[in-house]
Amino acid sequence: MTKSELIERIANKNPHLLLKDVERIVAVVFESIIKSLAEGDRVEFRGFGAFSVRSRSPRQAKNPRTGAPVSVEGRNIPHFKTGKQLFELLNK
């Protein structure tokens, strides 16, 4: 599902809301999730899952073309863990 499909489904289920209002609501939700993750917070939706940030430490890797060692800097990456309800629904 794309962002525009999500907006369309929400608008169809809530005909009393204008499409531009639904677009703004979805944008604010996504912005809030991004802002929280950028601040290092965890975002949890009960039954769906939780978003968090994990740190990867610096490491040595190899250039696949030349085989030369390459230094890879440490970085933060987003992580998603499914909630119990979603996990059970997907694995009936």
Side-chain angles (χ1 to χ4, degrees):
M1 175 184 296
T2 64
K3 185 177 176 182
S4 58
E5 291 171 340
L6 175 63
I7 291 168
E8 186 178 320
R9 283 191 187 183
I10 293 171
N12 289 339
K13 289 189 176 192
N14 297 282
H16 61 282
L17 294 174
L18 298 174
L19 184 61
K20 70 177 188 173
D21 292 337
V22 174
E23 289 174 352
R24 185 67 192 140
I25 290 167
V26 170
V28 167
V29 169
F30 287 161
E31 288 168 10
S32 298
I33 292 170
I34 291 168
K35 183 179 176 188
S36 293
L37 291 174
E39 294 172 354
D41 295 335
R42 184 172 187 255
V43 179
E44 182 177 336
F45 298 102
R46 298 274 174 180
F48 179 70
F51 296 94
S52 60
V53 178
R54 291 198 174 170
S55 296
R56 283 198 179 162
S57 55
R59 62 186 174 89
Q60 287 289 357
K62 285 186 179 181
N63 181 329
R65 286 189 182 170
T66 64
V70 177
S71 180
V72 178
E73 296 179 8
R75 62 181 73 188
N76 293 322
I77 58 164
H79 176 75
F80 178 75
K81 181 178 180 197
T82 58
K84 182 179 177 183
Q85 188 177 13
L86 176 60
F87 181 81
E88 290 175 351
L89 181 67
L90 296 174
N91 294 290
K92 286 185 178 179

